PDB file of all heavy atoms in Angstrom:
ATOM      1  N   SER A   1      14.316   0.986  37.123  1.00  0.00           N
ATOM      2  CA  SER A   1      14.077   0.343  35.889  1.00  0.00           C
ATOM      3  C   SER A   1      14.104   1.374  34.733  1.00  0.00           C
ATOM      4  O   SER A   1      13.701   2.485  34.908  1.00  0.00           O
ATOM      5  CB  SER A   1      12.815  -0.472  35.877  1.00  0.00           C
ATOM      6  OG  SER A   1      11.697   0.390  35.961  1.00  0.00           O
ATOM      7  N   ARG A   2      14.581   0.852  33.601  1.00  0.00           N
ATOM      8  CA  ARG A   2      14.630   1.703  32.350  1.00  0.00           C
ATOM      9  C   ARG A   2      13.990   0.825  31.249  1.00  0.00           C
ATOM     10  O   ARG A   2      14.433  -0.292  31.084  1.00  0.00           O
ATOM     11  CB  ARG A   2      16.054   2.093  32.053  1.00  0.00           C
ATOM     12  CG  ARG A   2      16.165   2.796  30.706  1.00  0.00           C
ATOM     13  CD  ARG A   2      17.501   3.269  30.347  1.00  0.00           C
ATOM     14  NE  ARG A   2      17.691   4.444  31.187  1.00  0.00           N
ATOM     15  CZ  ARG A   2      18.815   5.082  31.282  1.00  0.00           C
ATOM     16  NH1 ARG A   2      19.899   4.600  30.687  1.00  0.00           N
ATOM     17  NH2 ARG A   2      18.936   6.153  32.025  1.00  0.00           N
ATOM     18  N   GLU A   3      13.091   1.408  30.561  1.00  0.00           N
ATOM     19  CA  GLU A   3      12.383   0.746  29.396  1.00  0.00           C
ATOM     20  C   GLU A   3      12.612   1.579  28.181  1.00  0.00           C
ATOM     21  O   GLU A   3      12.339   2.787  28.182  1.00  0.00           O
ATOM     22  CB  GLU A   3      10.939   0.582  29.784  1.00  0.00           C
ATOM     23  CG  GLU A   3      10.195  -0.154  28.718  1.00  0.00           C
ATOM     24  CD  GLU A   3       8.695  -0.342  29.054  1.00  0.00           C
ATOM     25  OE1 GLU A   3       8.424  -0.479  30.301  1.00  0.00           O
ATOM     26  OE2 GLU A   3       7.879  -0.319  28.146  1.00  0.00           O
ATOM     27  N   GLN A   4      13.093   0.880  27.144  1.00  0.00           N
ATOM     28  CA  GLN A   4      13.234   1.561  25.855  1.00  0.00           C
ATOM     29  C   GLN A   4      12.389   0.904  24.829  1.00  0.00           C
ATOM     30  O   GLN A   4      12.380  -0.318  24.692  1.00  0.00           O
ATOM     31  CB  GLN A   4      14.707   1.563  25.394  1.00  0.00           C
ATOM     32  CG  GLN A   4      15.626   2.363  26.275  1.00  0.00           C
ATOM     33  CD  GLN A   4      17.082   2.405  25.725  1.00  0.00           C
ATOM     34  OE1 GLN A   4      17.496   1.481  25.063  1.00  0.00           O
ATOM     35  NE2 GLN A   4      17.790   3.459  26.108  1.00  0.00           N
ATOM     36  N   THR A   5      11.656   1.726  24.102  1.00  0.00           N
ATOM     37  CA  THR A   5      10.760   1.180  23.040  1.00  0.00           C
ATOM     38  C   THR A   5      11.154   1.906  21.779  1.00  0.00           C
ATOM     39  O   THR A   5      11.351   3.126  21.719  1.00  0.00           O
ATOM     40  CB  THR A   5       9.289   1.526  23.385  1.00  0.00           C
ATOM     41  OG1 THR A   5       8.970   1.017  24.651  1.00  0.00           O
ATOM     42  CG2 THR A   5       8.369   0.909  22.326  1.00  0.00           C
ATOM     43  N   GLU A   6      11.299   1.120  20.658  1.00  0.00           N
ATOM     44  CA  GLU A   6      11.672   1.613  19.381  1.00  0.00           C
ATOM     45  C   GLU A   6      10.579   1.250  18.385  1.00  0.00           C
ATOM     46  O   GLU A   6      10.106   0.127  18.277  1.00  0.00           O
ATOM     47  CB  GLU A   6      12.956   1.045  18.930  1.00  0.00           C
ATOM     48  CG  GLU A   6      13.477   1.650  17.656  1.00  0.00           C
ATOM     49  CD  GLU A   6      14.883   1.121  17.334  1.00  0.00           C
ATOM     50  OE1 GLU A   6      15.435   0.357  18.068  1.00  0.00           O
ATOM     51  OE2 GLU A   6      15.418   1.531  16.260  1.00  0.00           O
ATOM     52  N   LEU A   7      10.151   2.264  17.588  1.00  0.00           N
ATOM     53  CA  LEU A   7       9.112   2.006  16.596  1.00  0.00           C
ATOM     54  C   LEU A   7       9.857   2.027  15.226  1.00  0.00           C
ATOM     55  O   LEU A   7      10.514   2.939  14.867  1.00  0.00           O
ATOM     56  CB  LEU A   7       8.077   3.161  16.577  1.00  0.00           C
ATOM     57  CG  LEU A   7       7.043   3.086  15.458  1.00  0.00           C
ATOM     58  CD1 LEU A   7       6.204   1.827  15.575  1.00  0.00           C
ATOM     59  CD2 LEU A   7       6.181   4.367  15.480  1.00  0.00           C
ATOM     60  N   VAL A   8       9.680   0.886  14.543  1.00  0.00           N
ATOM     61  CA  VAL A   8      10.286   0.761  13.204  1.00  0.00           C
ATOM     62  C   VAL A   8       9.156   0.582  12.203  1.00  0.00           C
ATOM     63  O   VAL A   8       8.293  -0.234  12.459  1.00  0.00           O
ATOM     64  CB  VAL A   8      11.241  -0.473  13.181  1.00  0.00           C
ATOM     65  CG1 VAL A   8      11.801  -0.682  11.795  1.00  0.00           C
ATOM     66  CG2 VAL A   8      12.319  -0.332  14.147  1.00  0.00           C
ATOM     67  N   ILE A   9       9.213   1.349  11.149  1.00  0.00           N
ATOM     68  CA  ILE A   9       8.216   1.286  10.040  1.00  0.00           C
ATOM     69  C   ILE A   9       8.887   0.718   8.874  1.00  0.00           C
ATOM     70  O   ILE A   9       9.891   1.276   8.365  1.00  0.00           O
ATOM     71  CB  ILE A   9       7.590   2.642   9.800  1.00  0.00           C
ATOM     72  CG1 ILE A   9       6.887   3.225  11.021  1.00  0.00           C
ATOM     73  CG2 ILE A   9       6.658   2.587   8.588  1.00  0.00           C
ATOM     74  CD1 ILE A   9       6.406   4.559  10.919  1.00  0.00           C
ATOM     75  N   VAL A  10       8.332  -0.413   8.331  1.00  0.00           N
ATOM     76  CA  VAL A  10       8.938  -1.060   7.185  1.00  0.00           C
ATOM     77  C   VAL A  10       8.008  -0.853   6.008  1.00  0.00           C
ATOM     78  O   VAL A  10       6.791  -1.100   6.131  1.00  0.00           O
ATOM     79  CB  VAL A  10       9.130  -2.518   7.433  1.00  0.00           C
ATOM     80  CG1 VAL A  10       9.718  -3.263   6.223  1.00  0.00           C
ATOM     81  CG2 VAL A  10      10.089  -2.799   8.657  1.00  0.00           C
ATOM     82  N   VAL A  11       8.567  -0.342   4.960  1.00  0.00           N
ATOM     83  CA  VAL A  11       7.764  -0.101   3.760  1.00  0.00           C
ATOM     84  C   VAL A  11       8.215  -1.046   2.679  1.00  0.00           C
ATOM     85  O   VAL A  11       9.397  -1.161   2.355  1.00  0.00           O
ATOM     86  CB  VAL A  11       7.945   1.351   3.293  1.00  0.00           C
ATOM     87  CG1 VAL A  11       7.233   1.655   2.012  1.00  0.00           C
ATOM     88  CG2 VAL A  11       7.509   2.314   4.334  1.00  0.00           C
ATOM     89  N   THR A  12       7.223  -1.699   2.037  1.00  0.00           N
ATOM     90  CA  THR A  12       7.459  -2.655   0.917  1.00  0.00           C
ATOM     91  C   THR A  12       6.947  -2.027  -0.315  1.00  0.00           C
ATOM     92  O   THR A  12       5.702  -1.870  -0.439  1.00  0.00           O
ATOM     93  CB  THR A  12       6.912  -3.993   1.231  1.00  0.00           C
ATOM     94  OG1 THR A  12       7.349  -4.487   2.440  1.00  0.00           O
ATOM     95  CG2 THR A  12       7.253  -4.973   0.081  1.00  0.00           C
ATOM     96  N   PRO A  13       7.755  -1.621  -1.287  1.00  0.00           N
ATOM     97  CA  PRO A  13       7.232  -1.096  -2.500  1.00  0.00           C
ATOM     98  C   PRO A  13       6.680  -2.164  -3.371  1.00  0.00           C
ATOM     99  O   PRO A  13       7.083  -3.290  -3.400  1.00  0.00           O
ATOM    100  CB  PRO A  13       8.487  -0.423  -3.176  1.00  0.00           C
ATOM    101  CG  PRO A  13       9.616  -1.196  -2.618  1.00  0.00           C
ATOM    102  CD  PRO A  13       9.222  -1.649  -1.270  1.00  0.00           C
ATOM    103  N   LEU A  14       5.610  -1.796  -4.098  1.00  0.00           N
ATOM    104  CA  LEU A  14       4.904  -2.695  -4.962  1.00  0.00           C
ATOM    105  C   LEU A  14       4.833  -2.036  -6.336  1.00  0.00           C
ATOM    106  O   LEU A  14       4.238  -1.001  -6.528  1.00  0.00           O
ATOM    107  CB  LEU A  14       3.487  -2.999  -4.486  1.00  0.00           C
ATOM    108  CG  LEU A  14       2.632  -3.887  -5.331  1.00  0.00           C
ATOM    109  CD1 LEU A  14       3.222  -5.306  -5.386  1.00  0.00           C
ATOM    110  CD2 LEU A  14       1.230  -3.984  -4.786  1.00  0.00           C
ATOM    111  N   LEU A  15       5.531  -2.616  -7.331  1.00  0.00           N
ATOM    112  CA  LEU A  15       5.522  -2.076  -8.675  1.00  0.00           C
ATOM    113  C   LEU A  15       4.346  -2.617  -9.432  1.00  0.00           C
ATOM    114  O   LEU A  15       4.087  -3.828  -9.456  1.00  0.00           O
ATOM    115  CB  LEU A  15       6.811  -2.409  -9.380  1.00  0.00           C
ATOM    116  CG  LEU A  15       8.089  -1.957  -8.683  1.00  0.00           C
ATOM    117  CD1 LEU A  15       9.290  -2.479  -9.438  1.00  0.00           C
ATOM    118  CD2 LEU A  15       8.113  -0.467  -8.518  1.00  0.00           C
ATOM    119  N   VAL A  16       3.618  -1.755 -10.095  1.00  0.00           N
ATOM    120  CA  VAL A  16       2.429  -2.115 -10.818  1.00  0.00           C
ATOM    121  C   VAL A  16       2.630  -1.707 -12.325  1.00  0.00           C
ATOM    122  O   VAL A  16       3.420  -0.831 -12.664  1.00  0.00           O
ATOM    123  CB  VAL A  16       1.186  -1.486 -10.266  1.00  0.00           C
ATOM    124  CG1 VAL A  16       0.909  -2.004  -8.911  1.00  0.00           C
ATOM    125  CG2 VAL A  16       1.226   0.008 -10.299  1.00  0.00           C
ATOM    126  N   ARG A  17       1.881  -2.338 -13.163  1.00  0.00           N
ATOM    127  CA  ARG A  17       1.885  -1.965 -14.603  1.00  0.00           C
ATOM    128  C   ARG A  17       0.988  -0.721 -14.805  1.00  0.00           C
ATOM    129  O   ARG A  17      -0.104  -0.659 -14.262  1.00  0.00           O
ATOM    130  CB  ARG A  17       1.392  -3.137 -15.479  1.00  0.00           C
ATOM    131  CG  ARG A  17       2.352  -4.291 -15.531  1.00  0.00           C
ATOM    132  CD  ARG A  17       1.700  -5.420 -16.309  1.00  0.00           C
ATOM    133  NE  ARG A  17       0.633  -5.875 -15.411  1.00  0.00           N
ATOM    134  CZ  ARG A  17      -0.593  -6.306 -15.825  1.00  0.00           C
ATOM    135  NH1 ARG A  17      -0.827  -6.459 -17.048  1.00  0.00           N
ATOM    136  NH2 ARG A  17      -1.486  -6.609 -14.979  1.00  0.00           N
ATOM    137  N   PRO A  18       1.388   0.239 -15.653  1.00  0.00           N
ATOM    138  CA  PRO A  18       0.468   1.321 -15.929  1.00  0.00           C
ATOM    139  C   PRO A  18      -0.683   0.852 -16.814  1.00  0.00           C
ATOM    140  O   PRO A  18      -0.575  -0.150 -17.601  1.00  0.00           O
ATOM    141  CB  PRO A  18       1.367   2.318 -16.704  1.00  0.00           C
ATOM    142  CG  PRO A  18       2.518   1.482 -17.175  1.00  0.00           C
ATOM    143  CD  PRO A  18       2.683   0.320 -16.224  1.00  0.00           C
ATOM    144  N   VAL A  19      -1.808   1.553 -16.729  1.00  0.00           N
ATOM    145  CA  VAL A  19      -2.944   1.227 -17.494  1.00  0.00           C
ATOM    146  C   VAL A  19      -3.133   2.270 -18.578  1.00  0.00           C
ATOM    147  O   VAL A  19      -2.790   3.483 -18.378  1.00  0.00           O
ATOM    148  CB  VAL A  19      -4.226   1.087 -16.702  1.00  0.00           C
ATOM    149  CG1 VAL A  19      -4.123  -0.089 -15.741  1.00  0.00           C
ATOM    150  CG2 VAL A  19      -4.518   2.388 -15.891  1.00  0.00           C
ATOM    151  N   ARG A  20      -3.698   1.909 -19.710  1.00  0.00           N
ATOM    152  CA  ARG A  20      -3.899   2.860 -20.782  1.00  0.00           C
ATOM    153  C   ARG A  20      -5.264   3.615 -20.528  1.00  0.00           C
ATOM    154  O   ARG A  20      -5.328   4.785 -20.937  1.00  0.00           O
ATOM    155  CB  ARG A  20      -3.952   2.112 -22.097  1.00  0.00           C
ATOM    156  CG  ARG A  20      -2.683   1.480 -22.524  1.00  0.00           C
ATOM    157  CD  ARG A  20      -2.780   0.860 -23.924  1.00  0.00           C
ATOM    158  NE  ARG A  20      -1.614   0.059 -24.127  1.00  0.00           N
ATOM    159  CZ  ARG A  20      -0.562   0.500 -24.759  1.00  0.00           C
ATOM    160  NH1 ARG A  20      -0.494   1.707 -25.107  1.00  0.00           N
ATOM    161  NH2 ARG A  20       0.476  -0.281 -24.977  1.00  0.00           N
ATOM    162  N   ASN A  21      -6.198   2.969 -20.004  1.00  0.00           N
ATOM    163  CA  ASN A  21      -7.539   3.565 -19.807  1.00  0.00           C
ATOM    164  C   ASN A  21      -7.854   3.652 -18.322  1.00  0.00           C
ATOM    165  O   ASN A  21      -7.814   2.659 -17.583  1.00  0.00           O
ATOM    166  CB  ASN A  21      -8.619   2.686 -20.493  1.00  0.00           C
ATOM    167  CG  ASN A  21      -9.952   3.358 -20.460  1.00  0.00           C
ATOM    168  OD1 ASN A  21     -10.085   4.423 -19.969  1.00  0.00           O
ATOM    169  ND2 ASN A  21     -10.888   2.690 -21.055  1.00  0.00           N
ATOM    170  N   ILE A  22      -8.139   4.835 -17.841  1.00  0.00           N
ATOM    171  CA  ILE A  22      -8.377   5.044 -16.434  1.00  0.00           C
ATOM    172  C   ILE A  22      -9.628   4.278 -15.935  1.00  0.00           C
ATOM    173  O   ILE A  22      -9.754   3.955 -14.761  1.00  0.00           O
ATOM    174  CB  ILE A  22      -8.505   6.568 -16.086  1.00  0.00           C
ATOM    175  CG1 ILE A  22      -8.378   6.801 -14.575  1.00  0.00           C
ATOM    176  CG2 ILE A  22      -9.794   7.121 -16.595  1.00  0.00           C
ATOM    177  CD1 ILE A  22      -7.137   7.141 -14.142  1.00  0.00           C
ATOM    178  N   ALA A  23     -10.531   3.881 -16.864  1.00  0.00           N
ATOM    179  CA  ALA A  23     -11.718   3.161 -16.541  1.00  0.00           C
ATOM    180  C   ALA A  23     -11.397   1.716 -16.098  1.00  0.00           C
ATOM    181  O   ALA A  23     -12.226   1.066 -15.514  1.00  0.00           O
ATOM    182  CB  ALA A  23     -12.678   3.132 -17.619  1.00  0.00           C
ATOM    183  N   GLN A  24     -10.195   1.226 -16.459  1.00  0.00           N
ATOM    184  CA  GLN A  24      -9.768  -0.085 -16.044  1.00  0.00           C
ATOM    185  C   GLN A  24      -9.448  -0.235 -14.555  1.00  0.00           C
ATOM    186  O   GLN A  24      -9.458  -1.307 -14.030  1.00  0.00           O
ATOM    187  CB  GLN A  24      -8.524  -0.560 -16.844  1.00  0.00           C
ATOM    188  CG  GLN A  24      -8.786  -0.732 -18.350  1.00  0.00           C
ATOM    189  CD  GLN A  24      -7.502  -1.070 -19.025  1.00  0.00           C
ATOM    190  OE1 GLN A  24      -6.404  -0.584 -18.638  1.00  0.00           O
ATOM    191  NE2 GLN A  24      -7.594  -1.949 -20.014  1.00  0.00           N
ATOM    192  N   LEU A  25      -9.223   0.905 -13.898  1.00  0.00           N
ATOM    193  CA  LEU A  25      -8.838   0.861 -12.504  1.00  0.00           C
ATOM    194  C   LEU A  25     -10.124   0.597 -11.639  1.00  0.00           C
ATOM    195  O   LEU A  25     -11.146   1.131 -11.905  1.00  0.00           O
ATOM    196  CB  LEU A  25      -8.220   2.156 -12.082  1.00  0.00           C
ATOM    197  CG  LEU A  25      -6.878   2.494 -12.742  1.00  0.00           C
ATOM    198  CD1 LEU A  25      -6.462   3.866 -12.302  1.00  0.00           C
ATOM    199  CD2 LEU A  25      -5.891   1.462 -12.402  1.00  0.00           C
ATOM    200  N   GLN A  26      -9.950  -0.288 -10.630  1.00  0.00           N
ATOM    201  CA  GLN A  26     -11.066  -0.592  -9.743  1.00  0.00           C
ATOM    202  C   GLN A  26     -10.537  -0.646  -8.340  1.00  0.00           C
ATOM    203  O   GLN A  26      -9.355  -0.948  -8.092  1.00  0.00           O
ATOM    204  CB  GLN A  26     -11.676  -1.932 -10.097  1.00  0.00           C
ATOM    205  CG  GLN A  26     -12.324  -2.047 -11.412  1.00  0.00           C
ATOM    206  CD  GLN A  26     -12.947  -3.397 -11.689  1.00  0.00           C
ATOM    207  OE1 GLN A  26     -12.783  -4.331 -10.894  1.00  0.00           O
ATOM    208  NE2 GLN A  26     -13.619  -3.547 -12.828  1.00  0.00           N
ATOM    209  N   ILE A  27     -11.450  -0.380  -7.426  1.00  0.00           N
ATOM    210  CA  ILE A  27     -11.147  -0.567  -5.972  1.00  0.00           C
ATOM    211  C   ILE A  27     -11.963  -1.732  -5.503  1.00  0.00           C
ATOM    212  O   ILE A  27     -12.944  -2.150  -6.141  1.00  0.00           O
ATOM    213  CB  ILE A  27     -11.408   0.716  -5.180  1.00  0.00           C
ATOM    214  CG1 ILE A  27     -12.848   1.106  -5.293  1.00  0.00           C
ATOM    215  CG2 ILE A  27     -10.534   1.851  -5.678  1.00  0.00           C
ATOM    216  CD1 ILE A  27     -13.256   2.255  -4.304  1.00  0.00           C
ATOM    217  N   PRO A  28     -11.574  -2.354  -4.362  1.00  0.00           N
ATOM    218  CA  PRO A  28     -12.322  -3.538  -3.926  1.00  0.00           C
ATOM    219  C   PRO A  28     -13.834  -3.257  -3.666  1.00  0.00           C
ATOM    220  O   PRO A  28     -14.587  -4.167  -3.734  1.00  0.00           O
ATOM    221  CB  PRO A  28     -11.603  -3.875  -2.592  1.00  0.00           C
ATOM    222  CG  PRO A  28     -10.229  -3.350  -2.782  1.00  0.00           C
ATOM    223  CD  PRO A  28     -10.409  -2.052  -3.583  1.00  0.00           C
ATOM    224  N   ALA A  29     -14.269  -2.037  -3.367  1.00  0.00           N
ATOM    225  CA  ALA A  29     -15.642  -1.756  -3.040  1.00  0.00           C
ATOM    226  C   ALA A  29     -16.472  -1.437  -4.269  1.00  0.00           C
ATOM    227  O   ALA A  29     -17.654  -1.177  -4.159  1.00  0.00           O
ATOM    228  CB  ALA A  29     -15.715  -0.589  -2.050  1.00  0.00           C
ATOM    229  N   ASP A  30     -15.852  -1.462  -5.441  1.00  0.00           N
ATOM    230  CA  ASP A  30     -16.665  -1.177  -6.656  1.00  0.00           C
ATOM    231  C   ASP A  30     -17.688  -2.351  -6.856  1.00  0.00           C
ATOM    232  O   ASP A  30     -17.423  -3.485  -6.820  1.00  0.00           O
ATOM    233  CB  ASP A  30     -15.791  -1.135  -7.895  1.00  0.00           C
ATOM    234  CG  ASP A  30     -15.029   0.183  -8.032  1.00  0.00           C
ATOM    235  OD1 ASP A  30     -15.385   1.036  -7.314  1.00  0.00           O
ATOM    236  OD2 ASP A  30     -14.083   0.196  -8.891  1.00  0.00           O
ATOM    237  N   GLY A  31     -18.933  -1.877  -7.044  1.00  0.00           N
ATOM    238  CA  GLY A  31     -20.032  -2.899  -7.303  1.00  0.00           C
ATOM    239  C   GLY A  31     -20.618  -3.455  -5.991  1.00  0.00           C
ATOM    240  O   GLY A  31     -21.482  -4.269  -6.041  1.00  0.00           O
ATOM    241  N   TYR A  32     -20.154  -2.990  -4.874  1.00  0.00           N
ATOM    242  CA  TYR A  32     -20.641  -3.526  -3.575  1.00  0.00           C
ATOM    243  C   TYR A  32     -22.038  -2.904  -3.303  1.00  0.00           C
ATOM    244  O   TYR A  32     -22.143  -1.715  -3.346  1.00  0.00           O
ATOM    245  CB  TYR A  32     -19.663  -3.279  -2.478  1.00  0.00           C
ATOM    246  CG  TYR A  32     -20.202  -3.636  -1.138  1.00  0.00           C
ATOM    247  CD1 TYR A  32     -20.392  -5.006  -0.725  1.00  0.00           C
ATOM    248  CD2 TYR A  32     -20.592  -2.663  -0.186  1.00  0.00           C
ATOM    249  CE1 TYR A  32     -20.841  -5.303   0.485  1.00  0.00           C
ATOM    250  CE2 TYR A  32     -21.106  -2.973   1.096  1.00  0.00           C
ATOM    251  CZ  TYR A  32     -21.207  -4.319   1.405  1.00  0.00           C
ATOM    252  OH  TYR A  32     -21.728  -4.641   2.583  1.00  0.00           O
TER     253      TYR A  32
END
């Protein structure tokens, strides 16, 4: 028997708007 395994990594780019003030950026754990 011969077994072949292939690993494929798919990257989806996400374009975001730039912010003027760095204080506007938040992570999900802020305030937790």
Side-chain angles (χ1 to χ4, degrees):
S1 65
R2 172 176 284 173
E3 182 178 328
Q4 291 183 335
T5 305
E6 184 175 359
L7 175 65
V8 177
I9 299 174
V10 178
V11 177
T12 304
L14 178 65
L15 301 177
V16 296
R17 289 174 293 147
V19 295
R20 295 181 190 270
N21 185 1
I22 194 97
Q24 292 177 325
L25 298 177
Q26 294 181 356
I27 62 172
D30 283 348
Y32 173 72

